[in-house]
């Protein structure tokens, strides 16, 4: 079996697949489940300065080809994640720990990132792309705002920092985003968050399937994969020599993970399939990837990374 060991910046991972920041990663117990699984790393929910209940229920729905959610960043608050990071690191010392950082407003980001400098996290993933906070835009769709946020958080402490980006759809926007991102010494780009503000309607009830924001929410799973692949590929072309890229969006199988690897991803995160299948998905997907690498005679993930062939 080929090895799926990889690295994100300076951090080494024993395998290629771990959890996307979002589902089932809020509490210590949920994080222990990920720790005990074959996930390559443990990633926590994006935290805010104070605990949040998030949006009203129902706020998540499985769909035929994925999911829609409007969770609204439910989390225990940054102080709790600083504390539990030490417990997680003691219990799972060999697994890299990535703590998610978010803000409701701009001023929250430095507060959270400053506090997380005292955590046991190996890396921070700064969420610039939550589509589900009522009345707040996705920061990374406003390049001046993204620049201001990065300038602030990148000046605090020396934990390696990566960013969770929203999906972009236009080459001009990829280039504008890349221009801002390239100013900073980031450890990784995580591409992508869900496709924001999708609407799924149940024709029987004649209502949306989730309640918050009038039913508008983030679309994940198979609906997202081609867009996520395009984002990984475009940022790999623009910034692949500077930053590791983590692919997320519609990874259900080793074949999906292999496609992200060909596009240029250094690792993949799984969200919807983790919700639907539970923690055994990490080992299954990673094994399937290892079999594909072996069959195709790639000695390692590094050997296949970015090797998308052109027609
Ligand atoms: C949420 O609304 O909490 C999920 C999306 C995100 O984490 O950005």
């Amino acid at each position: 079996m080929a090895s799926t060991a990889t690295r994100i910046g300076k951090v080494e991972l024993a395998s290629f697949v771990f959890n996307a920041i979002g589902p089932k990663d809020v509490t210590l117990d949920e994080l222990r489940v990920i720790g005990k699984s074959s996930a390559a790393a443990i990633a926590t929910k994006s935290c805010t300065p104070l605990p949040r209940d998030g949006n009203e229920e129902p706020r998540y729905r499985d769909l035929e080809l994925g999911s829609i959610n409007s969770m609204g960043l439910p989390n225990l608050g940054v102080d709790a994640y600083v504390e539990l990071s030490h417990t997680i690191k003691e219990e799972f010392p060999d697994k890299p720990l990535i703590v998610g950082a978010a803000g409701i407003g701009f001023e929250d980001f430095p507060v959270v990132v400053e506090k997380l400098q005292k955590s046991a996290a190996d890396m921070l993933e700064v969420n610039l792309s939550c589509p589900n906070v009522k009345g707040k835009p996705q920061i990374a769709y406003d390049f001046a705002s993204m620049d201001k946020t990065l300038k602030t958080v990148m000046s605090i402490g020396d934990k390696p920092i990566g960013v969770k980006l929203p999906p972009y759809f236009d080459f001009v926007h990829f280039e504008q985003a890349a221009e801002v991102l390239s100013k900073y010494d980031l450890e990784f780009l995580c591409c992508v968050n869900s496709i924001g503000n999708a609407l799924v309607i149940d024709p029987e009830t004649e209502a949306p399937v989730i309640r918050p924001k009038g039913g508008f929410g983030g679309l994940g799973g198979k609906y997202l994969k081609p867009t996520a692949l395009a984002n990984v590929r475009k940022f790999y072309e623009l910034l692949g020599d500077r930053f590791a890229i983590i692919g997320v969006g519609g990874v259900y199988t080793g074949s999906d993970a292999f496609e992200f690897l060909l596009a240029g991803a250094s690792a993949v995160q799984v969200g919807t399939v983790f919700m639907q299948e539970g923690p055994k998905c990490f080992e299954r997907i990673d094994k399937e990837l290892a079999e594909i690498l072996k069959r195709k005679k790639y000695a390692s993930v590094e050997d296949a990374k970015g090797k998308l062939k052109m027609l």
Side-chain angles (χ1 to χ4, degrees):
M1 199 90 84
S3 164
T4 58
T6 186
R7 60 189 309 132
I8 301 170
K10 292 175 277 301
V11 175
E12 307 218 347
L13 270 59
S15 55
F16 198 71
V17 185
F18 62 104
N19 68 298
I21 287 190
K24 295 187 182 175
D25 58 356
V26 175
T27 65
L28 182 56
D29 283 348
E30 287 175 328
L31 294 166
R32 280 183 170 132
V33 169
I34 300 167
K36 285 178 194 150
S37 77
S38 295
I42 304 168
T44 78
K45 183 75 186 171
S46 305
C47 62
T48 48
L50 296 174
R52 279 174 63 81
D53 290 335
N55 295 339
E56 64 276 24
E57 306 270 1
R59 58 192 185 182
Y60 175 92
R61 174 70 84 87
D62 284 323
L63 304 171
E64 199 188 336
L65 297 177
S67 63
I68 186 167
N69 88 85
S70 181
M71 304 302 288
L73 298 175
N75 74 92
L76 306 176
V78 64
D79 293 337
Y81 292 95
V82 173
E83 201 178 317
L84 66 74
S85 71
H86 295 282
T87 313
I88 288 287
K89 227 31 219 181
E90 267 162 39
E91 292 181 18
F92 307 101
D94 298 333
K95 281 209 179 174
L97 174 64
I98 303 175
V99 176
I104 304 308
F106 164 75
E107 61 291 345
D108 290 347
F109 283 90
V111 174
V112 170
V113 170
E114 172 107 56
K115 288 193 171 191
L116 289 177
Q117 295 298 327
K118 296 191 185 70
S119 75
D122 296 288
M123 296 192 278
L124 309 182
E125 184 178 299
V126 175
N127 186 348
L128 301 178
S129 53
C130 181
N132 304 325
V133 179
K134 293 176 191 168
K136 297 287 178 186
Q138 285 166 267
I139 294 168
Y141 282 146
D142 173 345
F143 299 116
S145 185
M146 174 155 87
D147 198 3
K148 183 175 156 195
T149 309
L150 285 176
K151 191 170 181 189
T152 306
V153 299
M154 294 305 287
S155 67
I156 305 168
D158 34 57
K159 290 259 184 224
I161 289 182
V163 287
K164 175 88 168 259
L165 295 172
Y168 296 102
F169 302 94
D170 190 296
F171 282 0
V172 171
H173 294 154
F174 283 108
E175 280 155 21
Q176 289 172 333
E179 201 179 315
V180 173
L181 295 164
S182 65
K183 289 163 66 174
Y184 301 99
D185 197 13
L186 294 163
E187 206 70 4
F188 65 88
L189 310 179
C190 184
C191 302
V192 289
N193 211 319
S194 55
I195 296 177
N197 298 315
L199 181 63
V200 177
I201 294 174
D202 179 341
E204 285 311 312
T205 61
E206 302 176 23
V209 298
I210 55 170
R211 189 185 302 274
K213 290 179 65 181
F216 290 83
L219 196 60
K222 292 182 183 165
Y223 304 101
L224 180 57
K225 194 178 94 173
T227 299
L229 280 170
N231 275 256
V232 168
R233 184 65 189 175
K234 203 47 166 163
F235 280 115
Y236 183 75
E237 287 172 3
L238 293 167
L239 297 171
D241 56 340
R242 289 277 315 275
F243 309 129
I245 300 172
I246 302 173
V248 52
V251 176
Y252 284 68
T253 65
S255 180
D256 296 325
F258 183 60
E259 290 167 39
F260 276 92
L261 176 60
L262 290 175
S266 293
V268 292
Q269 297 178 344
V270 295
T272 301
V273 77
F274 176 40
M275 274 299 273
Q276 295 175 347
E277 185 180 328
K280 62 182 191 306
C281 69
F282 303 116
E283 186 174 8
R284 176 184 60 75
I285 296 169
D286 202 69
K287 265 193 181 153
E288 290 169 2
L289 172 64
E291 275 158 21
I292 292 169
L293 291 173
K294 187 176 168 216
R295 176 165 57 79
K296 288 182 162 278
K297 303 198 179 358
Y298 285 109
S300 65
V301 293
E302 203 49 44
D303 221 20
K305 191 167 89 186
K307 298 281 169 61
L308 182 66
K309 293 178 184 160
M310 291 298 126
L311 294 179

